Amino acid sequence: MDTDLLRAFVTVAECEGFSAAGKVLHRTQSAVSLQIKRLEDRMGEALFERTSRSVILTPAGGRLLPYARHILKLQDEALRVMGAERQGELIRLGTSEEQASTYLPELLPRFAERYPNVRLEVVCDISAAQVHAFQEGLLDVVLAIRHMPTQSGRLLGREPLVWVVAEQTRLDAWETLPLALNPEGCIFRAHAFAALGREDRRWDVRYSSQSPTGINLPVQAGLALTVKTPRSVPEGCRIIGRDEGLPDLGHVEIELHRAPGHASEALNAFCDELEQIVMATESLECVEYVTHEAS
């Protein structure tokens, strides 16, 4: 059985669409549709029900899916054992700089010991850009702050947002709150604006930077306040207490995207270990809690 056809089938099933699958597989939508048609001809049954809005598995497709995944996994394992991957598999990870500095110091040594030949490419950017790159097939795994529901993101939990200033800074010294924030498109910035919009406080964005360093420096110098998660409070700074008069910022949701249809043992292990480290973060509220509260 042609494993290229099976990989296209698994990817369409997991992406729930031909266009999204084509981006992951680096093929046109029509090429993916043709592969599925060829597989359906060989199976003698329709594998997907197509509507104007969605693509769902037929009963036959549902029966085939676990076997297809198993065949692809066996193929990748055989290639690895026979030395076809001696040059080293490449895993392309997308995440923010603060998440990378929090989680990768623990993850990288552990993963490198198990898979010494695997190469890792880390791309740091805001979450919205990372998810877009993932959907275009440019990244294999993305750890992101959820901006909106997606087909590929798996919710891991949520983290509170907190106001942060230098340790000796007093808020009553400022008539207008000076803010240091990421540029437009950052959900932390959106939460800050929404929270301050509910209060009768004057504020101004004095410092803006894509890099955490560009945000942290003016905050550490006592020139501004910013928004962080508790795990990312920079040295020499403190979390502003609830009794100091600033509005609550709420929470952000953390999600993991992994490339559908990719049965690599190394990628699966990398994603599993990253997920374990993230979910062990003290400030992260688990998915079960979030789901229960939402209900």
Side-chain angles (χ1 to χ4, degrees):
M1 188 175 294
D2 190 334
T3 53
D4 282 343
L5 301 185
L6 291 179
R7 196 173 296 279
F9 166 68
V10 171
T11 305
V12 171
E14 295 184 352
C15 288
E16 300 180 356
F18 289 86
S19 178
K23 292 177 180 179
V24 172
L25 295 168
H26 304 290
R27 294 178 179 172
T28 64
Q29 179 177 339
S30 60
V32 175
S33 297
L34 182 59
Q35 286 184 302
I36 299 303
K37 179 64 168 58
R38 289 173 56 195
L39 184 60
E40 288 178 326
D41 289 343
R42 293 189 183 184
M43 295 293 101
E45 294 188 73
L47 302 175
F48 293 102
E49 293 181 5
R50 303 162 175 83
T51 70
S52 59
R53 294 186 177 182
S54 65
V55 174
I56 60 175
L57 288 166
T58 63
R63 292 194 301 271
L64 177 62
L65 185 58
Y67 292 102
R69 285 172 170 156
H70 186 59
I71 291 170
L72 293 174
K73 180 179 180 182
L74 289 176
Q75 180 198 42
D76 287 344
E77 288 180 354
L79 290 172
R80 178 177 56 83
V81 170
M82 297 304 293
E85 297 181 356
R86 273 194 294 266
Q87 296 301 315
E89 176 183 350
L90 173 64
I91 294 177
R92 301 167 299 172
L93 167 68
T95 188
S96 68
E97 287 188 44
E98 290 187 336
Q99 287 175 317
S101 63
T102 299
Y103 304 124
L104 294 189
E106 180 179 355
L107 173 62
L108 294 185
R110 182 192 305 179
F111 183 75
E113 184 176 356
R114 292 181 59 190
Y115 298 94
N117 294 323
V118 172
R119 297 172 293 135
L120 180 65
E121 178 181 312
V122 181
V123 179
C124 293
D125 204 341
I126 63 173
S127 292
Q130 300 282 18
V131 172
H132 178 72
F134 176 84
Q135 293 171 338
E136 293 292 323
L138 303 177
L139 296 170
D140 301 308
V141 54
V142 167
L143 181 66
I145 306 295
R146 176 175 286 183
H147 285 58
M148 63 183 67
T150 61
Q151 294 178 335
S152 58
R154 178 176 179 271
L155 180 63
L156 302 184
R158 68 181 194 177
E159 286 187 284
L161 293 178
V162 293
W163 296 103
V164 172
V165 292
E167 289 179 349
Q168 305 304 319
T169 298
R170 292 176 54 87
L171 296 184
D172 56 15
W174 291 322
E175 290 186 12
T176 300
L177 295 175
L179 303 178
L181 299 171
N182 290 115
E184 285 293 340
C186 174
I187 197 167
F188 286 28
R189 181 186 181 104
H191 274 256
F193 288 178
L196 290 170
R198 298 190 297 266
E199 302 286 328
D200 187 22
R201 295 293 298 266
R202 296 173 59 189
W203 53 272
D204 182 34
V205 179
R206 301 280 177 82
Y207 304 92
S208 180
S209 175
Q210 188 70 51
S211 167
T213 301
I215 298 297
N216 293 347
L217 287 175
V219 176
Q220 290 169 313
L223 301 175
L225 72 157
T226 191
V227 176
K228 299 279 188 181
T229 57
R231 60 176 162 78
S232 301
V233 176
E235 184 178 353
C237 294
R238 66 179 179 88
I239 295 173
I240 295 175
R242 293 180 179 273
D243 59 347
E244 295 183 69
L246 288 187
D248 182 70
L249 288 160
H251 295 74
V252 289
E253 295 177 328
I254 312 300
E255 62 183 8
L256 184 69
H257 302 253
R258 61 170 77 187
H262 195 315
S264 159
E265 176 188 339
L267 178 61
N268 287 337
F270 182 87
C271 292
D272 290 344
E273 292 193 19
L274 176 59
E275 182 174 323
Q276 291 173 14
I277 292 171
V278 171
M279 296 187 71
T281 305
E282 184 177 351
S283 60
L284 190 80
E285 297 176 354
C286 68
V287 174
E288 289 78 10
Y289 175 81
V290 175
T291 303
H292 178 268
E293 185 180 68
S295 64

